[in-house]
């Protein structure tokens, strides 16, 4: 069973940057970042096929956020630039063993505890 631990959240002013980290213990083939704002459904932010595979970024973050991995450190990152108030949410990393990374939360079997991002 994969264990995931997120870090790097915090409070930042609009236009600022944060980098989220997700430390991964165990094998995965797909990693994703999701977010959930109060009163809203959990939505995908970005996915990455581990081992140098393709990435996906949802339209609202394209050009501002970048998902990446450091396989030597077993860590997946989400670099968030030009943050907006609407990016405020709890951010979760998630793991799956599919060959093609899903954008649906229900397809991921392991989740971190979440890290709060607040943009004002």
């Amino acid at each position: 069973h994969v264990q995931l631990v997120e870090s790097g959240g915090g409070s930042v002013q609009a236009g600022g940057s944060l980098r989220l980290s997700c430390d991964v213990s165990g094998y995965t083939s797909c990693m994703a970042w999701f977010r959930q704002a109060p009163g809203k459904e959990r939505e995908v932010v970005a996915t990455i096929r581990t081992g140098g595979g393709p990435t996906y970024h949802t339209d609202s973050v394209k050009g501002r956020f970048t998902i990446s991995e450091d396989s030597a450190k077993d860590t997946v990152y989400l670099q968030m630039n030009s943050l907006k108030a609407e990016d405020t949410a709890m951010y979760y990393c998630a793991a799956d063993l599919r060959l093609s990374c899903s954008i649906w939360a229900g397809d991921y079997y392991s989740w971190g505890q979440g890290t709060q991002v607040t943009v004002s």
Side-chain angles (χ1 to χ4, degrees):
H1 183 72
V2 174
Q3 291 188 320
L4 308 174
V5 179
E6 302 103 331
S7 61
S11 297
V12 65
Q13 291 187 337
S17 299
L18 285 173
R19 188 178 77 162
L20 306 183
S21 299
C22 177
D23 292 327
V24 183
S25 61
Y27 173 77
T28 70
S29 58
C30 284
M31 292 295 300
W33 285 98
F34 285 79
R35 66 186 179 186
Q36 188 167 20
K40 295 188 177 181
E41 292 187 355
R42 192 167 296 191
E43 63 174 358
V44 70
V45 177
T47 70
I48 186 167
R49 180 71 165 85
T50 59
T55 61
Y56 163 86
H57 297 80
T58 197
D59 285 347
S60 62
V61 308
K62 281 181 181 176
R64 300 189 298 123
F65 293 10
T66 303
I67 190 170
S68 64
E69 64 170 334
D70 184 335
S71 57
K73 295 182 178 179
D74 293 329
T75 301
V76 175
Y77 301 100
L78 184 68
Q79 178 66 44
M80 305 186 295
N81 299 326
S82 302
L83 282 159
K84 304 176 181 180
E86 51 263 45
D87 295 319
T88 295
M90 184 72 78
Y91 283 70
Y92 300 89
C93 66
D96 191 37
L97 294 175
R98 298 169 193 265
L99 295 178
S100 179
C101 297
S102 170
I103 63 170
W104 306 111
D107 289 338
Y108 287 79
Y109 78 98
S110 185
W111 292 83
Q113 80 285 356
T115 186
Q116 178 68 37
V117 172
T118 302
V119 185
S120 59

